[in-house]
C-alpha cells in the first residue's frame, strides 16, 4: 500500500473522530502496516464542524499532514464545500446523498454519493452509527484496510452492548458501496 | 506488560510513560494542546494509588508537584506556552533547591495566546532561559509518539538521578498525533530511583554531594530533619545569602551535575550523515519533515543527511561540530523565527560549514518540499 | 392581526430549542431545517423570553412593552 | 426605550462561535440590555475580558473592547480605570478565569472597591478547553479531569466576594434572565466594585457528562434549584438543602478607590508627603 | 508537660535575624508550644514557609522544614500533604506572602479543606523589603510606598477565609500570646484546613512610620484595640468602632480533602471511572 | 529645570527620568533591589497628577501598567528576578497586542531567590527569551547612573514610538549606587508621544500599520471603538486564530518594527578601540570594571579597547563584527555563567577573533584586575 | 528562696524591653549593657509572660505551673 | 585628590547612611570632584549593623567597590572586628573611644580613637548626631573634602530646625580631631 491520505469530515455527533481512529487502528494494529490519525481542535471543533485525518502507508509516516487527500468523506454540505476542492486528481470523494458537488470537481474525482446518514438512522434509529456506515463504505470502495482488520478495530473501541448495531451498520456500509461499485 | 503494538496519541504516550516511570503525582491546569496528559492521568493515577489534582493555576500546579516530590514521590506536570511561562519561577526553585520533577510543554503558536490549537517550536529558548538567575537545565524533545514515550521515561530518570527539574518540549503535532508504536516490555526499561542517605541522621548534611555532584534526597518525616531554602545555601541547607564562596561552589555544582553526564544526556540521531554534503539539523515535529525531505532528496541523488536532536539542552554541540568541516552547510528548519539556529552557529564558529535557517511561524508545519528546496539552494 | 412581530434570523439560529421549550404560549417550533420558526403568532404575549433566552440573538420580538428598561 | 441586543452587535462578527444552546450568549444579552438601561453611551463603556468562552463575549459587541490574558482582566481593568476614571468599566469573566487562575485579582479588586462592574459567567466548567472541573464545579460532578467525580468543594463566589469586602454582590441564572439584567443594571449604577454571578449552562463541556443532555434540561435545572434570597429568608434549612440562592446579597456604600486617589493627588499637590 | 521554645530551637542558628522587639519571634514561640501541646513528635511535623521575615521562622526550629517561593507555600504544602497525608503540615506565612501575592492559594486551600494549619503572621507591612504597605495595612497608615497614607481598605483576612470556606478560623495578637497558643493548638487538632491570624508588631517597618516608636507601644496598641469575639457579642457598634476582634471565629466539621481522595483511590481501584 | 549636578542613586535617577519622560502610571510590587523606584514614584507621581499603585503581585502589576497604557497614559513598572519572571506572561501580551510600556529589572543574584541583595547579570537571556512564543524585544542596559537616567527616557520613547514593551536591565550595583551626574535640561531631551489616528472612526482599522510598520495607538472612549486580542489577529483587531497568512504577516511586522530602526535602537560605545588588539565586550556594572581595566592595561602598554553595549537586544552584532578580523580576541566578562557571550560567538562565526568568556556569579563584581589578567592571557 | 529560676541569655537579648514593660510584678530591668536582667526574683509569680513575649527566646522561667499544655 | 575609599560603619540609628551621602555630596556637588556612595542592604542591615561606603576622586570612578579602604570609621566593636583588618597599610582608622583594636592592626594603620558618641550625646542629648561628629572628625583628619563643602552638603540634607545642633556636632567633630592632630 502506497501512502493513502484520507479525510473524514462532517459535524460533531457523527462519530467522525472515533471513526478515524478505528480506521487507523485497523491499519496499524490489525493489518500491521503504518497509520496516523489526527483531528481538529479548538472551539470551532466543538458542537460544530468535525474532521478526522488518517494516513495509511507501508512506509514509516514521517510527514503527518494532509494537504491534498486521496480520499475524502464529506457528510455535510459545509464540509464538502470546504474540503472537496482539495481532493487529489482522480481521488475518491464520498458524500452523503443530498450533498451537492459542482461539476468542476466531479470531473476531477471519483464521486460516490451514498445515503449514509439515512442508512445509519435506519439501522440504529439515530445518526449515532453514521461513522460505521461510513467506514464500511469507505473500505469497500478503497480497500485501504482489510474488512477483518476493520471489524476487529471496531470491536476494540466501541462500548460493550453496541456490538450488534455497529456490526450491522458496518455491513450496511459495505453493502451500500458494493452495490455501487 | 509485554511488547505491545498500539495506536497512541502523543500525549497519551506521555501519560502512560509517566505511570511506567513511576510518576505518582500530577498537578496541572487545563490548556490546549496539553490537556490530554492531565485527563488521562486523572483517570490512571488513582488506579495505581497515585494522586491527580487540578490546581487553581499553573503556578500552584508547579508548586504542588515540587511539594509532592519533596514528599518523596515522583511528580510531573504538563502545560503549554502561557502556563509554561507561569511555571518558570517555581521551575527555578526546583533547579536551585534540587528537587526532581518533570515539566511537559506541548508547544503551540504564540506570541501570547496566539494560535492556541496550532503547532509551533517557539519555546525552545525559553525552556533554557525562561527563569531568572542562571542555572542549567535538561530539555528533551520528541519527534514521534514512540520518542515521546521513551523520552518521558528518560526525563523522569534524569530528574531523579540528578535531583533537578527536566523539561519535555513537545508540540501540538506530536502531542495530538496518533501513530503506531511498538512499546518495549516494561521490564526492559530502566527506572531510576533517587539516592537514599548513607549516613545516620546525626551525620547527615542534606546538600553534601556525592562524587557525582548530586546529594542524596532524603524524605522528610523519617528521622532526618533538615532545612531547605531557595536562597543561596550551605551544605547544611541553611541560607548563606551573602556568602560568596558558597554561592560560587553551589552554582558550579549545579552545572557540573549535567556536564559530568553529558555523554548520557545528549541524545541525537544521525541519519544518512556518512557521506552527507548538506546536513539538516532538526528536532520535534520538524524533524519528521526533515526525515521525509532527506528521503526525497536522496532519491534525487542529493547527498543530504539529518542530525535529529532529541536533547535540545544541553545543546548537542559536539555532534554539530563533528560535521563542521565535512558538510558545506547546515540547514536548520524551525517553527519559529530562528532560535536553536543560534547554537548551531556558535558550535560552528571555527568551522567551514555555513548555517542556513529555515523558518515558519504561521501555525503550519514546514513541509518536506520546503526543506528540499533549501537543500537545492545550497548546492 | 398579531400585536407583535417576531423575526427569526435562520442563519444565526443553532437549533438549540430553548426558545421553543420556554415560550409560555407555544408560539414557536422547529421548521423542517431544524431552525426556530413562528408557528402561532397570534398567541404571543410579547413576554420577550424567547428573545432574551436565545443564546444566539436569532430572535427579535417587536412591539413589546416588556422590553423597556428593566429597573 | 425598547432595545434589542442586535442593535449593539458587531454584525460582521455574527453568528458567534459558541456551541448550540450555550448560556454565554444569554448572559451577554442581559449585560448589554443593562448597559442600555443605565443609559451609557457606547463610547463611554469599555468591556474587558480574559480568556475562555466567556472572554469571547466582548469581540461581538459594539463598545470599546479588549481581551487580556487568562485570569488577569481585573488587573488590566484596574490600571485602565485608574487612568480613565470617567469611563464605565465592565469586566466579563468565567468561573475558571475569574475564580480559578484569577481568584487573587478578584478578591483584591473587591477589597479596593474600585468602580468596576464584573459579571462572572459561571458555567461550572472550563468550557473553552473542553470540560475540566473548575473551582465552581459542584462537588461530585464529572469532568474530563474528574472521571470519578470531583472531590473538591466549590466556592460560593458571592460569599467569597463578600468576605473580600465587595460592596455590591448578586447572582442570577440564564433562566432568570430578567433578574440578571436587573442585577447588572444595579451593579452598573453602584459606585464601587460590583460582582454579579451569572449561572449559565455549558451543554457541551458540563451538561453532556452530567446527565443533562440538552440546554433546556439545564435551564430547567436552574429554575428548580435557584431560590430567591428573599424567599429563602422564610425557608427552613431542609427546604434549602441542595438549592442555591439568587438575588442581591450585598449592597453597601463605601468610598470608591479612584475618588480616594483623586483626593490623594490633590493633597499631594497642595501639601506634600508626610 | 512544661516546655520552653529553646528546647525546639536549632541552637546553631541562634540568635536569629529579626530586629529588636519584632513580633515574629513571639508568634513563632506560640506555634512551637502549640505543637508541643498537641503532642506531635518532631519527625511527624513539617513546617513550610514562603518568603519574608515570617518565612525565616522555620529555619531556626527543629522540625522538618523548608522555605518556598513568595506566596506559594500553601501550594507546595498541598502537594506535600497529598503525598504524605500522615504528616502534620504547618504553614507559616506573612500578610504580604499569604494575603498579597499568595491570596489565591490561600482561598483555594480554604476551599479544599485540606488538613493544613496555617499561621498568618500579620505585621501590617512588607517587613523584609523594608516597609511597603500590604493588603492588611490599615487604611491611612504610612509606608514607604504610601508617603501620603494608604487609600486602600484592608482585608479582614479571617472573614475572607470564612468566605472561602475555611472550617477553622481564629485570630490573636503577640500581646495575647496565650490565646494565640490556644488557637493554634485547636487549629492543629482540627481536621481540615485551619487559619490562625497572628497580629504582630514590626517596629522597624511599620511602627517607626506610624507614631509607634517602641515595640512596647505596639503591644499596648494590640492590647487596647483587640476585643474578644465573645465580649464583642455584648457590645454596641459604637463601642466596637476602631477595634478588631480576636478569638475563634469559625469551627465546623466538613470532609477533609486527603481523606476524600483516599476514598477516590479506593473506588478507582475497585470500580473504575464512570 | 536647568542642567543640574546631583548625587543620585541609580534607581532614583530611573524614577526621575520616568517622570521626565512623561510616565504617569506606575504599578509595582516590592522587591529588593528595585523597590526604591516604586517608593520614589509613590511620592512623585501624585505631585504631577499621575497614579501609583501597589498591586497584589507582579502579574497584576504588569497587567495594570498595560491597562493604564491602553487607557492612554505612559506606564512603567520595576522589579527584580522573581518578579521579572512573573511579569513575563503579560510582557508577551504587550508585545503581541502592541501596547507600549517599560519594565525595569534591577538584577540580583539567582537562581531563585539566591542572593537577593547582591548584584548579578543573570537575566540577560531571560530578558530576550523569557516569555513563550517568539517575538522581538528591546533591552537597554545602563552602566552608570547617568546612563540609567538617559536610557530610561530612551526606553519610554522607543516604547511609545514602536508600540511595544521595552526592558531596562540594570543591576544591584547601578541601582543602588549613588554617583555624581550632570543632568541635561529637560527641554533638551526629546520626548516621544504615541501616534494618533489619521482617519475618522468609520475608516479606522486599529492594526493597520503605517509605513514604519507601527499602527497608531488610539485611546478608547473617544469615538474610536475597536477590539484588541492576544490571539493572532487581523488588521481590524479581531481574532484570526487559525489564519496562517495573517499570522505570518503579523509576526514579520512585529520583527520589522525593530529591524527597520536598528540603527537608532542599537546603542554602543567604543572606547579606545581604534588600535585595539584585544577587545572587551561588556555591559552594565561589569562595563565599569572593564573601563577601569582598559585604563590600567593601556597604562601598561597593552592595546586594549572596550565595546560597551547599552542596547543588549537587539544584539549589537554589527559592532562586534566590525572588529572581528581586527582584534585577536574578544573578552566577555559577565556576572553570570556565560550568556551574551553566545551572541558574540555567533557574530564572530566567520571572523578570526577568538572569544573568551570571563564569568563570576558569586554576588561580587568582576574586578578590573581579573579583566586585566584575562587580557594578559590573550597576549 | 525564690520559687522560680529565671535565666536570661544575654547574647540573645536584643534589649527591646518587652519583658520588662509587661512583667506584672516588675521583676525585670535592664543591666548596664542594656540587656534584660532579673532585679527582683522574689516577686516573680511564674506567670511566664516574659518568656512567652520575648521575641528572642532569651528568657527561660523554670518551675512554673503555668507552663503546661495550654488547652 | 587621588581616589580615596572611605568606609563608615556602626549600627542603625547612628545615621551612618546619611553621613555617607553627605560626605559624597560634599565632594560631588560642592567640591565639584567625583564621588560615589553605597550602603548595605537586606535584613542584616535593618536594626542591626550599618555600613556606608564613599569613594572620592578627581578621576571618573568606574569601579565602585571598596575592598581595602583608605579610611575606616568604626563606631562599634563589632564593626571594628569585622572591618578593621581590611584597612589599607598606612590607612586611617577612626574608632569610637572604647572600641579595642589589636596591636597587629595598630602597627599597620594610623589609629584615631575619639569620644565620638560621647560627644554626640553631649551636643544633642542623644546619639542622633553621631554622624555629624564623625564627619567633622573624619574631614579634619583626612581633608578629603573642604569644610565649606561639607557644611553645605549637610545643610541640604538635614531636616529643617536641626541646623544648629548639627552644625555644633560637626564643629565638635572637627575640634575633637584637631585637638588630636
Ligand atoms: C495561563 C493560561 N493557562 C491556561 C490557559 C488555557 N485556557 C484557555 S480558556 C481556559 C478555561 C477558561 O475557563 P472559564 O474561565 O470557566 O471560561 P469558559 O470557557 O468556561 O467560559 C483555559 C484554562 C490559558 N489560555 N492561559
Ligand atoms: C515573586 C517575588 N516578589 C517579591 C519578592 C520580594 N519580597 C521578599 S519578602 C517580601 C515581603 C514579604 O512581606 P510579608 O509576607 O508581609 O512578610 P514580612 O517580611 O512582613 O514578615 C517581598 C515582597 C520576592 N522574593 N519574590
Ligand atoms: S433559542 Fe435561538 S438558537 Fe435556539 S432554537 Fe431558538 S432561535 Fe434558534
Ligand atoms: S415573546 Fe413570549 S410569548 Fe411571544 S413567542 Fe416569545 S416567548 Fe413566546
Ligand atoms: S464549550 Fe460550553 S461555554 Fe463554551 S461555547 Fe460551548 S457550550 Fe458554551
Ligand atoms: S522588618 Fe519588621 S518583621 Fe522583619 S524582622 Fe524587622 S521588625 Fe520583624
Ligand atoms: S524581651 Fe527578650 S530581647 Fe527583649 S529585653 Fe527582654 S530578654 Fe531582651
Ligand atoms: S514569670 Fe511573670 S512575674 Fe515572673 S518575671 Fe516573668 S513576667 Fe515577671
Ligand atoms: Mg467556565
Ligand atoms: Mg508582613
Amino acid at each position: 500500500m502506497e501512502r493513502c491520505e484520507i479525510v473524514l469530515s462532517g459535524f460533531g455527533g457523527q462519530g467522525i473522530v472515533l471513526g478515524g481512529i478505528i480506521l487507523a487502528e485497523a491499519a496499524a494494529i490489525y493489518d500491521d502496516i503504518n497509520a496516523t490519525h489526527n483531528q481538529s481542535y479548538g472551539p470551532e471543533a466543538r458542537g460544530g464542524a468535525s474532521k478526522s485525518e488518517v494516513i495509511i502507508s507501508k512506509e514509516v509516516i514521517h510527514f503527518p499532514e494532509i494537504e491534498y487527500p486521496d480520499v475524502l468523506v464529506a457528510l455535510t454540505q459545509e464540509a464538502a464545500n470546504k474540503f472537496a476542492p482539495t481532493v487529489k486528481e482522480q481521488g475518491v470523494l464520498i458524500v452523503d446523498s443530498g450533498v451537492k458537488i459542482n461539476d468542476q470537481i466531479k470531473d476531477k474525482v471519483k464521486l460516490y454519493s451514498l445515503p449514509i446518514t439515512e442508512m445509519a438512522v435506519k439501522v440504529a434509529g439515530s445518526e449515532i452509527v453514521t461513522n460505521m456506515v461510513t467506514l464500511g463504505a469507505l473500505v469497500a470502495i478503497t480497500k485501504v484496510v482489510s474488512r477483518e482488520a476493520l471489524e476487529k478495530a471496531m470491536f476494540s473501541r466501541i462500548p460493550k452492548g453496541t456490538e450488534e448495531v455497529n456490526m450491522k451498520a458496518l455491513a450496511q456500509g459495505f453493502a451500500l458501496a458494493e452495490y455501487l461499485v | 506488560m509485554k511488547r505491545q503494538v498500539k495506536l497512541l496519541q502523543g500525549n497519551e504516550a506521555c501519560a502512560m510513560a509517566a505511570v511506567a516511570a513511576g510518576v505518582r503525582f500530577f498537578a496541572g491546569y487545563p490548556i490546549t494542546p496539553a490537556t490530554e496528559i492531565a485527563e488521562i492521568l486523572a483517570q490512571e493515577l488513582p488506579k495505581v494509588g497515585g494522586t491527580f489534582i487540578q490546581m487553581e493555576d499553573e503556578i500552584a500546579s508547579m508548586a504542588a508537584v515540587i511539594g509532592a516530590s519533596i514528599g518523596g514521590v515522583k511528580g510531573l506536570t504538563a502545560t503549554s506556552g502561557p502556563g509554561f511561562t507561569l511555571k518558570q519561577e517555581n521551575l527555578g526553585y526546583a533547579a536551585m533547591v534540587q528537587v526532581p520533577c518533570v515539566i511537559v510543554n506541548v508547544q503551540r503558536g504564540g506570541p501570547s495566546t496566539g494560535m492556541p490549537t496550532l503547532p509551533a517550536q517557539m519555546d525552545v529558548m525559553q525552556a533554557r532561559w525562561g527563569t531568572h538567575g542562571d542555572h542549567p537545565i535538561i530539555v528533551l524533545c520528541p519527534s514521534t509518539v514512540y520518542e515521546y514515550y521513551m523520552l518521558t521515561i528518560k526525563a523522569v530518570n534524569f530528574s531523579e538521578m540528578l535531583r533537578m527539574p527536566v523539561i519535555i518540549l513537545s508540540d501540538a503535532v506530536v502531542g495530538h498525533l496518533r501513530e503506531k508504536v511498538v512499546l518495549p516490555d516494561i521490564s526492559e526499561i530502566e527506572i531510576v530511583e533517587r539516592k537514599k542517605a548513607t549516613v545516620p541522621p546525626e551525620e547527615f548534611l542534606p546538600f553534601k554531594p556525592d562524587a557525582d555532584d548530586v546529594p542524596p534526597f532524603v524524605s522528610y518525616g523519617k528521622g532526618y530533619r533538615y532545612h531547605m531554602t531557595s536562597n543561596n545555601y550551605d551544605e547544611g541547607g541553611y541560607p548563606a545569602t551573602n556568602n560568596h564562596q558558597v554561592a560560587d561552589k553551589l552554582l558550579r555544582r549545579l552545572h557540573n551535575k549535567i556536564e559530568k553526564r553529558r555523554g548520557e544526556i545528549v541524545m541525537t540521531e544521525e541519519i544518512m550523515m556518512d557521506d552527507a554534503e548538506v546536513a539538516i539539523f532538526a528536532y520535534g515535529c520538524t524533524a519528521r519533515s526533515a526525515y521525509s525531505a532527506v528521503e526525497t532528496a536522496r532519491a534525487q541523488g542529493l547527498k543530504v543527511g539529518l542530525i535529529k536532536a532529541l536533547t535540545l539542552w544541553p545543546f548537542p554541540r559536539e555532534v554539530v561540530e563533528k560535521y563542521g568541516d565535512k558538510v558545506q552547510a547546515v540547514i536548520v528548519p524551525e517553527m519559529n523565527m530562528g532560535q536553536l539556529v543560534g547554537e548551531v552557529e556558535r558550535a560552528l564558529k571555527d568551522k567551514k560549514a555555513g548555517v542556513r535557517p529555515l523558518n515558519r511561524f504561521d501555525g503550519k508545519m514546514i513541509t518536506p518540499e520546503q526543506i528540499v528546496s533549501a537543500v537545492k539552494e545550497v548546492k | 392581526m398579531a400585536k407583535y412581530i417576531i423575526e427569526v434570523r435562520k442563519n444565526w439560529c443553532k437549533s438549540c430549542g430553548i426558545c421553543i421549550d420556554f415560550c409560555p404560549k407555544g408560539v414557536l417550533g422547529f421548521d423542517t431545517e431544524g431552525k426556530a420558526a413562528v408557528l402561532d403568532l397570534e398567541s404571543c404575549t410579547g413576554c420577550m423570553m424567547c428573545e432574551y433566552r436565545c443564546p444566539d440573538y436569532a430572535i427579535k420580538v417587536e412591539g413589546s412593552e416588556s422590553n423597556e428598561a428593566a429597573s | 426605550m425598547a432595545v434589542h441586543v442586535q442593535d449593539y452587535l458587531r454584525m460582521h462578527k455574527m453568528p458567534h462561535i459558541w456551541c448550540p444552546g450555550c448560556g454565554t450568549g444569554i448572559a451577554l444579552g442581559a449585560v448589554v440590555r443593562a448597559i442600555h438601561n443605565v443609559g451609557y453611551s457606547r463610547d463611554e463603556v469599555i468591556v474587558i475580558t480574559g480568556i475562555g468562552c466567556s472572554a469571547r463575549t466582548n469581540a461581538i459587541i459594539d463598545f470599546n473592547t479588549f481581551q487580556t490574558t487568562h485570569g488577569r482582566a481585573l488587573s488590566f481593568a484596574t490600571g485602565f480605570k485608574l487612568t480613565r476614571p470617567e469611563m464605565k468599566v465592565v469586566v466579563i469573566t468565567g468561573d475558571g478565569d475569574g475564580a480559578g487562575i484569577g481568584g487573587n485579582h478578584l478578591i483584591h479588586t473587591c477589597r479596593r472597591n474600585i468602580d468596576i462592574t464584573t459579571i462572572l459567567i459561571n458555567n461550572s466548567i472550563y468550557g473553552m478547553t473542553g470540560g475540566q472541573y473548575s473551582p465552581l464545579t459542584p462537588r461530585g460532578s464529572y469532568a474530563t479531569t474528574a472521571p470519578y467525580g470531583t472531590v473538591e468543594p466549590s466556592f460560593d463566589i458571592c460569599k467569597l466576594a463578600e468576605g473580600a469586602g465587595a460592596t455590591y454582590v448578586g447572582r442570577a441564572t440564564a433562566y432568570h434572565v430578567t433578574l440578571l439584567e436587573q442585577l447588572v443594571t444595579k451593579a452598573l449604577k453602584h459606585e464601587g466594585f460590583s460582582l454579579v454571578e451569572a449561572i449559565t449552562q455549558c451543554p457541551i463541556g458540563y451538561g453532556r457528562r452530567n446527565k443533562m443532555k440538552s440546554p433546556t434540561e439545564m435551564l430547567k435545572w436552574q429554575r428548580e434549584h435557584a431560590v430567591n434570597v428573599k424567599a429563602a429568608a422564610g425557608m427552613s434549612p431542609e427546604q434549602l438543602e441542595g438549592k442555591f440562592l439568587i438575588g442581591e446579597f450585598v449592597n453597601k456604600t463605601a468610598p470608591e478607590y479612584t475618588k480616594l486617589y483623586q483626593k490623594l493627588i490633590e493633597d499631594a499637590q497642595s501639601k506634600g508627603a508626610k
Side-chain angles (χ1 to χ4, degrees), chain A, chain B, chain C, chain D:
Chain A
M1 159 105 340
E2 280 287 285
R3 176 175 169 124
C4 179
E5 304 184 345
I6 303 159
V7 171
L8 311 178
S9 63
F11 65 85
Q14 293 179 316
I16 297 278
V17 170
L18 180 62
I21 294 175
I22 290 173
L23 182 60
E25 280 190 346
I29 303 180
Y30 302 101
D31 276 348
D32 202 19
I33 55 178
N34 289 301
T36 64
H37 171 265
N38 226 325
Q39 73 203 58
S40 45
Y41 287 87
E44 289 72 18
R46 277 194 319 268
S50 177
K51 191 170 103 169
S52 213
E53 299 186 350
V54 177
I55 303 176
I56 295 175
S57 168
K58 282 226 178 74
E59 307 299 316
V60 175
I61 300 164
H62 294 300
F63 188 66
E65 287 192 350
I66 298 177
E67 212 160 349
Y68 305 110
D70 299 287
V71 181
L72 171 71
V73 177
L75 296 178
T76 61
Q77 188 64 48
E78 199 192 329
N81 295 348
K82 206 161 159 195
F83 303 118
T86 66
V87 180
K88 258 189 208 143
E89 198 99 10
Q90 293 310 308
V92 170
L93 172 55
I94 303 170
V95 299
D96 201 9
S97 19
V99 170
K100 289 174 206 79
I101 298 297
N102 69 31
D103 291 344
Q104 206 185 331
I105 291 170
K106 268 185 194 161
D107 289 350
K108 211 183 71 175
V109 305
K110 291 179 219 142
L111 176 68
Y112 301 82
S113 177
L114 308 175
I116 294 172
T117 48
E118 193 191 314
M119 181 58 76
V121 173
K122 211 186 234 165
V123 169
S126 84
E127 290 190 18
I128 202 160
V129 294
T130 309
N131 51 0
M132 294 308 157
V133 179
T134 305
L135 286 185
L138 172 85
V139 170
I141 293 166
T142 62
K143 311 270 186 303
V144 77
V145 295
S146 69
R147 183 160 180 167
E148 299 73 26
L150 185 64
E151 287 173 3
K152 282 186 197 155
M154 182 191 76
F155 279 119
S156 79
R157 281 279 179 178
I158 57 176
K160 293 253 165 303
T162 67
E163 290 86 354
E164 202 175 324
V165 65
N166 277 300
M167 195 60 202
K168 203 164 150 197
L170 202 67
Q172 290 299 336
F174 271 95
L176 277 182
E178 276 157 5
Y179 169 81
L180 254 177
V181 179
Chain B
M1 193 175 88
K2 281 295 214 41
R3 190 168 279 261
Q4 282 195 318
V5 182
K6 296 204 166 199
L7 183 83
L8 280 187
Q9 196 191 38
N11 285 340
E12 198 179 354
C14 173
M16 285 177 55
V19 174
V23 166
R24 290 297 175 270
F25 186 86
F26 180 97
Y29 188 79
I31 191 163
T32 306
T35 309
E36 292 83 8
I37 300 173
E39 291 170 343
I40 296 166
L41 288 174
Q43 171 121 4
E44 297 306 317
L45 280 176
K47 292 187 193 162
V48 293
T51 304
F52 168 91
I53 188 169
Q54 189 177 301
M55 296 295 285
E56 54 273 20
D57 63 14
E58 287 91 349
I59 295 175
S61 307
M62 189 70 216
V65 165
I66 298 171
S69 180
I70 292 174
V73 156
K74 294 178 184 176
L76 179 141
T77 186
T79 188
S80 188
F84 192 55
T85 297
L86 290 171
K87 286 182 202 283
Q88 292 294 332
E89 192 197 3
N90 285 331
L91 179 59
Y93 176 94
M96 180 66 164
V97 182
Q98 307 186 58
V99 183
C101 54
V102 174
I103 303 96
V104 184
N105 174 359
V106 188
Q107 294 170 97
R108 63 186 215 180
S112 200
T113 54
M115 297 174 281
T117 63
L118 301 182
Q121 300 181 304
M122 294 182 173
D123 308 342
V124 170
M125 293 300 279
Q126 184 194 23
R128 172 69 186 89
W129 300 108
T131 186
H132 64 280
D134 204 330
H135 62 80
I137 195 85
I138 296 174
V139 179
L140 308 181
C141 178
S143 72
T144 67
V145 173
Y146 176 76
E147 286 170 8
Y148 208 167
Y149 186 93
M150 297 308 285
L151 291 183
T152 299
I153 290 175
K154 284 263 184 217
V156 177
N157 283 350
F158 285 152
S159 147
E160 295 290 330
M161 185 163 79
L162 301 174
R163 275 193 78 165
M164 65 186 322
V166 174
I167 294 167
I168 299 173
L169 210 56
S170 68
D171 55 59
V173 171
V174 179
H176 275 161
L177 189 69
R178 285 187 176 81
E179 72 181 332
K180 180 178 178 173
V181 288
V182 184
L183 297 184
D185 191 302
I186 197 85
S187 66
E188 288 167 25
I189 302 173
E190 191 207 6
I191 304 297
V192 176
E193 304 299 333
R194 55 185 72 164
K195 290 194 281 182
K196 303 251 163 4
T198 51
V199 296
E202 317 80 73
E203 292 167 34
F204 181 67
L205 281 175
F207 290 97
K208 193 169 148 99
D210 295 334
D212 61 354
D213 275 322
V214 182
F217 196 17
V218 177
S219 284
Y220 283 121
K222 320 233 152 128
Y224 290 81
R225 292 190 303 279
Y226 60 91
H227 188 65
M228 299 200 295
T229 171
S230 59
N231 285 357
N232 183 33
Y233 56 83
D234 58 27
E235 291 192 343
Y238 296 104
T241 316
N242 294 338
N243 190 321
H244 307 292
Q245 290 77 18
V246 165
D248 183 80
K249 207 169 139 194
L250 176 59
L251 264 72
R252 282 183 201 281
R253 193 160 63 64
L254 293 183
H255 271 254
N256 285 342
K257 288 201 292 186
I258 291 182
E259 286 304 316
K260 284 197 181 165
R261 300 227 189 206
R262 250 190 110 82
E264 186 179 349
I265 295 168
V266 174
M267 294 176 285
T268 58
E269 240 178 81
E270 292 152 60
I271 295 151
M272 297 183 235
M273 282 299 299
D274 283 349
D275 61 343
E277 291 163 4
V278 175
I280 303 165
F281 177 92
Y283 56 90
C285 69
T286 303
R288 302 180 71 106
S289 307
Y291 206 137
S292 173
V294 168
E295 286 179 347
T296 309
R298 285 274 171 182
Q300 297 175 16
L302 297 164
K303 291 195 173 165
V304 185
L306 168 63
I307 304 172
K308 176 162 82 174
L310 299 175
T311 305
L312 303 190
W313 302 103
F315 181 76
R317 59 165 188 267
E318 47 277 60
V319 183
V320 175
E321 268 169 25
K322 202 170 67 184
Y323 295 103
D325 290 327
K326 289 190 197 155
V327 300
Q328 273 174 267
V330 180
I331 297 171
V332 187
E334 299 181 271
M335 289 181 70
N336 56 42
M337 304 194 86
Q339 297 200 1
L340 220 45
V341 68
E343 292 300 310
V344 176
E345 286 175 5
R346 287 182 70 183
L348 296 176
K349 167 151 175 27
D350 297 317
K351 306 288 178 179
K352 279 188 288 190
V355 178
R356 310 268 179 121
L358 171 57
N359 303 102
R360 185 162 189 170
F361 33 81
D362 64 351
K364 284 197 138 178
M365 285 182 77
I366 296 175
T367 62
E369 293 72 40
Q370 283 185 286
I371 299 174
V372 172
S373 305
V375 170
K376 288 181 180 158
E377 267 170 42
V378 174
K379 308 295 295 188
Chain C
M1 211 194 78
K3 231 178 126 194
Y4 307 102
I5 308 168
I6 304 180
E7 251 178 56
V8 180
R9 278 189 191 250
K10 303 267 175 177
N11 60 329
W12 289 10
C13 168
K14 289 184 188 145
S15 311
C16 70
I18 290 175
C19 58
I20 300 167
D21 292 344
F22 291 96
C23 170
K25 297 292 166 186
V27 173
L28 304 163
F30 285 121
D31 67 13
T32 51
E33 313 232 286
K35 305 284 179 170
V38 182
L39 304 183
D40 176 17
L41 187 58
E42 290 306 318
S43 305
C44 175
T45 62
C47 73
M48 297 299 294
M49 293 322 296
C50 55
E51 178 175 332
Y52 287 4
R53 290 211 191 94
C54 172
D56 291 272
Y57 317 123
I59 303 190
K60 204 162 157 179
V61 181
E62 301 271 16
S64 168
E65 274 147 41
S66 308
N67 191 30
E68 298 299 312
S71 73
Chain D
M1 215 210 59
V3 64
H4 304 281
V5 174
Q6 285 184 10
D7 304 340
Y8 281 90
L9 292 177
R10 289 170 172 155
M11 298 301 270
H12 60 294
K13 291 283 120 188
M14 292 295 292
H16 58 54
I17 62 150
W18 297 307
C19 308
C22 172
T24 309
I26 305 180
L28 177 63
V31 173
V32 168
R33 286 190 300 275
I35 294 174
H36 176 86
N37 293 344
V38 181
Y40 293 149
S41 81
R42 284 160 210 255
D43 277 326
E44 68 185 326
V45 172
I46 182 148
V47 184
I48 305 175
T49 62
I51 299 274
C53 296
S54 71
R56 297 300 192 101
T57 47
N58 64 350
I60 63 167
I61 51 175
D62 184 22
F63 297 103
N64 302 287
T65 57
F66 67 97
Q67 162 262 311
T68 68
T69 46
H70 189 33
R72 320 301 176 188
L74 282 167
S75 307
F76 281 79
T78 297
F80 186 92
K81 178 74 185 177
L82 281 167
T83 58
R84 300 295 298 280
E86 79 282 10
M87 285 193 70
K88 314 303 174 190
V89 180
V90 175
V91 167
I92 301 179
T93 181
D95 47 328
D97 194 57
I101 193 168
N104 206 28
H105 314 305
L106 178 63
I107 58 176
H108 282 273
T109 318
C110 290
R111 173 174 68 80
R112 289 194 191 99
N113 197 36
I114 187 166
D115 192 16
I116 294 172
T117 298
T118 298
I119 292 88
L120 189 148
I121 298 184
N122 174 9
N123 59 4
S124 305
I125 206 82
Y126 286 91
M128 178 66 100
T129 43
Q132 298 76 31
Y133 67 93
S134 92
L136 298 188
T137 303
R139 179 187 275 175
S141 303
Y142 294 92
T144 63
T145 45
Y148 308 101
T150 58
V151 300
E152 307 214 346
S154 54
F155 280 134
D156 180 328
I157 200 73
C158 292
K159 286 217 178 117
L160 179 66
E162 181 175 1
T167 51
Y168 189 92
V169 182
R171 177 192 288 135
T173 74
Y175 178 82
H176 303 88
V177 62
T178 43
L179 174 65
L180 183 57
E181 182 183 329
Q182 281 159 19
L183 293 174
V184 177
T185 305
K186 288 185 80 174
L188 288 166
K189 289 179 178 167
H190 178 76
E191 188 176 280
F193 184 75
S194 51
L195 176 81
V196 178
E197 178 184 1
I199 294 189
T200 62
Q201 72 282 10
C202 170
I204 296 299
Y206 186 80
R208 274 198 302 178
R209 281 182 198 88
N210 289 283
K211 297 189 195 136
M212 287 184 281
K213 288 236 156 65
S214 76
T216 294
E217 270 180 79
M218 299 185 79
L219 284 175
K220 285 186 179 152
W221 183 92
Q222 292 166 16
R223 182 175 65 195
E224 279 143 32
H225 290 78
V227 178
N228 196 291
V229 62
K230 289 176 200 150
M235 287 165 70
S236 69
E238 292 73 42
Q239 289 174 304
L240 287 171
E241 177 70 32
K243 310 279 187 201
F244 64 89
L245 301 184
I246 55 174
E248 185 182 273
F249 303 133
V250 180
N251 185 354
K252 60 186 180 200
T253 310
E256 193 275 327
Y257 194 97
T258 60
K259 294 262 159 66
L260 288 176
Y261 203 87
Q262 199 47 48
K263 193 160 168 315
L264 183 151
I265 288 179
E266 284 156 24
D267 287 0
Q269 293 183 339
S270 59
K271 286 177 261 170
K274 197 184 104 156

